[in-house]
Amino acid sequence: MFAAFMKTAMSAIIYEVLDMGTCITDREGNLASSGAGIPAFVGVLDKAVQRIIELNGEPGEIRAGDIFATNDPFYGGVTHLNDVVLAMPVFVDGRPIAWTANIAHWNDVGGMVPGSISNDAREIFQEGLRIPAVKLVSEGAPIKSVVEIMKCNSRLPDYLEGDMWAGIAAARVGERRVLEPVAKYGVETFVTALDLFMDYGEQVSLRALGTLPKGTYTLAEKQDSGTVYTATVEIRDDEFVVDLRDNPDQDYGPNNASRDGTVVAAQMIFMNITDKHHAANAGHLRPLKVLTRPGSVFDPKPPAAFATYYEVEIRLYDLLWRCLAPHLGDRLPAGSFASICGTFIGGRHPDTGRHFTIVEPQVGGWGGSHAKDGNSAVFSGFHGDTFNCPAEVAEARYGLYVEKLALDDVDGGEGERRGGKGIVLEYRVRSDECFFTCAYTRNRYRPWPLHGGLEGSPNYAEVIRADGSVEQHAVVTALEVNEGDVIRIHTGSGGGYGDPRRRPRGLVLDDLRNGYVTPERAAAVYGLDDRRARE
């Protein structure tokens, strides 16, 4: 399923970045198996399938060959309107035995700004076309009216249609491959095996819970906006409880995470600290319990907006990580750059005259751990097994030049094990009246250290105008940029782990040779003799 989607998608955000997810569920929508891609997307799909079943569960409404679509968090979409879920039931002898499903980011689904992501949205109606868990394909035949409504609401209808057909292909490949073991072993064996696999997953997580320190842990953390998020985690022998009820009311803008999306953030940290190699299925997640308050930022009511949900969820994911890290020995590293750093640039392509929109999450630095320095220039834990868009592809597909992509050698993140480095990336705009949108967090409050390390560096973007003036942004919507302007992106270094003065001198010298630290900084934080550092 994953390979079929990757090979046939129209948009580079899917076929290069792999901003997508695929899965198989059982007949009731419980996660059985998943492909690669974004961990947060894997956790979305079972919830979407369950909601589709709930909303279309009348007798005879769900039939073999059907494919359903949803993107609305109030109708099983879980994330935001750009992320479209396609789900297909698998039937044997008139009986549903499983579902195949996928999700991917579509470049434009309408709304008040190109790219459909606006920090100024106040309700979901402003963010684009809402697809409320409706049938897209009926018994194998596309429903033309639904397809045309979707295309008509996009500024990039050909990309939308191409990515839609890639998702349909992936769902159908999944159906075909599910039916192969059914034909070989029989439907009863298949269904029983799914049930037993879920039970095995639960056993794995319960064994892992037994190795964790029992207790209740609470952390409140101020966000860049000034809002305070609070999490309480209780670890028991048979249950892992995340209590998020003591949190602010839902955001007036798009900084909200749906209840299902909130659960996904908790599921990711639960997987990180229980078992990351065996059974990532619904059974494994049975011991997890998430408590939220309706009407809050982690469980909003209609018509809440969700465009930048991803920064809310990664803030929660990082909050849970930070809450638990001091209590779990050496299981977790220090804080990372911990932002999607979603970057949206678009306008008229100077060569073709057509509209283009680049959708680019960014890589950054991870925190140091007890064992080694943090990774440099990789995606956040939220974004997972994905890749940056190559400069050659970006230049070929979009109206931009990629002038620089390098590690950002700024101060921050020093420790016995230092944090990994973020990047500096420069896009030069090639036509007038283009736009730039971003919503970066970990800008004001930097990646956190552990055990005496130093905090990392911030995430931010600069717009360097053709006249030489410079503007700095962490959050901006549809800022006009013109030919010759440069958009320079900085992602953060991770936090340091341990007292910097305990860092082995050989590693400090390596950092000096590689340009990761200046002689003056090495003298100040590592205690290295200033003269020797310069030499």
Side-chain angles (χ1 to χ4, degrees):
M1 290 174 67
F2 194 85
F5 208 157
M6 176 182 67
K7 291 177 179 179
T8 57
M10 278 281 285
S11 300
I13 184 67
I14 302 176
Y15 69 74
E16 290 288 353
V17 178
L18 306 183
D19 196 333
M20 62 175 181
T22 56
C23 89
I24 296 167
T25 77
D26 67 9
R27 59 198 177 277
E28 296 172 347
N30 299 305
L31 179 66
S33 186
S34 64
I38 298 179
F41 276 6
V42 172
V44 163
L45 290 169
D46 56 340
K47 300 164 185 61
V49 170
Q50 291 165 16
R51 185 72 166 135
I52 288 169
I53 293 172
E54 177 187 348
L55 294 172
N56 297 274
E58 295 296 324
E61 188 65 26
I62 300 174
R63 298 185 290 270
D66 289 349
I67 296 179
F68 293 84
T70 188
N71 71 340
D72 191 314
F74 298 116
Y75 292 86
V78 178
T79 56
H80 62 181
L81 298 185
N82 286 83
D83 297 331
V84 182
V85 175
L86 302 181
M88 182 178 191
V90 180
F91 278 78
V92 174
D93 298 328
R95 168 189 177 190
I97 62 164
W99 285 74
T100 67
N102 59 72
I103 182 173
H105 185 106
W106 290 8
N107 284 346
D108 192 288
V109 291
M112 63 192 293
V113 297
S116 311
I117 303 294
S118 173
N119 297 294
D120 299 325
R122 295 294 175 259
E123 54 186 11
I124 195 169
F125 303 108
Q126 297 173 302
E127 296 183 319
L129 176 68
R130 302 174 69 185
I131 308 172
V134 296
K135 194 176 294 187
L136 176 65
V137 176
S138 179
E139 297 181 283
I143 302 173
K144 185 177 179 180
S145 57
V146 176
V147 175
E148 292 303 314
I149 290 171
M150 291 163 60
K151 290 170 59 180
C152 185
N153 278 274
S154 175
R155 297 171 181 84
L156 299 166
D158 50 348
Y159 281 82
L160 181 147
E161 187 170 21
D163 294 338
M164 179 195 75
W165 277 107
I168 291 172
R172 287 173 170 170
V173 166
E175 179 200 35
R176 185 167 71 246
R177 297 305 295 272
V178 166
L179 291 175
E180 290 172 4
V182 173
K184 183 174 182 179
Y185 298 107
V187 66
E188 295 305 325
T189 298
F190 177 84
V191 171
T192 301
L194 276 185
D195 292 341
L196 291 174
F197 186 47
M198 303 290 186
D199 293 340
Y200 167 71
E202 184 178 23
Q203 294 167 13
V204 168
S205 61
L206 287 174
R207 283 199 301 271
L209 277 178
T211 68
L212 297 179
K214 307 305 178 293
T216 301
Y217 312 104
T218 298
L219 180 67
E221 182 186 69
K222 183 174 285 190
Q223 308 304 309
D224 288 348
S225 64
T227 299
V228 176
Y229 291 167
T230 302
T232 297
V233 179
E234 183 178 2
I235 302 175
R236 306 171 184 166
D237 287 325
D238 59 352
E239 201 168 37
F240 187 94
V241 182
V242 176
D243 190 342
L244 303 172
R245 290 174 292 185
D246 184 19
N247 274 291
D249 290 344
Q250 64 194 63
D251 186 59
Y252 177 66
N255 300 301
N256 294 293
S258 70
R259 155 77 190 180
D260 283 341
T262 296
V263 171
V264 170
Q267 287 177 337
M268 289 192 295
I269 196 69
F270 182 74
M271 290 297 301
N272 291 156
I273 64 175
T274 54
D275 185 287
K276 55 189 179 293
H277 296 302
H278 290 88
N281 62 30
H284 189 111
L285 299 169
R286 285 174 188 164
L288 173 64
K289 184 178 182 180
V290 180
L291 305 176
T292 58
R293 177 176 62 84
S296 70
V297 67
F298 297 124
D299 190 356
K301 298 178 180 179
F306 291 93
T308 52
Y309 86 94
Y310 46 85
E311 290 299 331
V312 180
E313 286 188 22
I314 198 169
R315 293 273 51 79
L316 173 58
Y317 176 58
D318 195 51
L319 174 67
L320 294 171
W321 188 314
R322 187 176 187 178
C323 177
L324 293 171
H327 309 290
L328 298 185
D330 57 13
R331 288 178 185 255
L332 295 173
S336 72
F337 77 111
S339 173
I340 305 303
C341 290
T343 305
F344 306 86
I345 309 169
R348 180 185 57 82
H349 197 295
D351 300 330
T352 66
R354 299 181 64 190
H355 180 85
F356 76 91
T357 298
I358 181 171
V359 181
E360 182 76 293
Q362 307 295 345
V363 293
W366 279 58
S369 71
H370 78 288
K372 64 176 187 176
D373 294 341
N375 290 321
S376 297
V378 295
F379 277 115
S380 67
F382 181 98
H383 227 262
D385 190 15
T386 55
F387 302 90
N388 65 302
C389 186
E392 297 84 353
V393 173
E395 290 191 340
R397 298 300 297 269
Y398 308 118
L400 303 164
Y401 289 133
V402 181
E403 301 228 316
K404 183 177 183 178
L405 175 57
L407 295 181
D408 198 1
D409 296 328
V410 296
D411 292 341
E414 294 85 5
E416 183 178 1
R417 301 294 182 180
R418 65 166 174 81
K421 294 294 184 179
I423 63 165
V424 55
L425 169 63
E426 292 183 359
Y427 290 114
R428 183 174 294 275
V429 181
R430 295 179 54 207
S431 57
D432 288 337
E433 297 181 350
C434 291
F435 74 90
F436 168 54
T437 295
C438 72
Y440 300 174
T441 54
R442 280 275 173 252
N443 170 259
R444 183 178 176 188
Y445 297 100
R446 302 178 180 189
W448 45 273
L450 271 176
H451 306 307
L454 302 183
E455 67 179 13
S457 61
N459 302 306
Y460 64 98
E462 296 174 298
V463 176
I464 305 167
R465 299 294 183 179
D467 64 6
S469 61
V470 180
E471 306 162 16
Q472 189 173 124
H473 301 280
V475 178
V476 69
T477 299
L479 177 70
E480 183 174 317
V481 288
N482 295 292
E483 183 178 4
D485 292 344
V486 173
I487 300 168
R488 179 184 292 157
I489 295 159
H490 297 262
T491 64
S493 299
Y497 189 104
D499 185 346
R501 294 177 181 270
R502 296 178 58 186
R503 185 166 178 79
R505 285 295 178 262
L507 294 181
V508 176
L509 293 174
D510 285 344
D511 291 342
L512 283 163
R513 293 189 193 100
N514 292 326
Y516 294 158
V517 64
T518 64
E520 294 77 15
R521 182 73 173 177
V525 302
Y526 290 124
L528 197 66
D529 177 77
D530 185 58
R531 180 183 59 80
R532 184 185 177 195
R534 285 197 303 273
E535 290 174 353

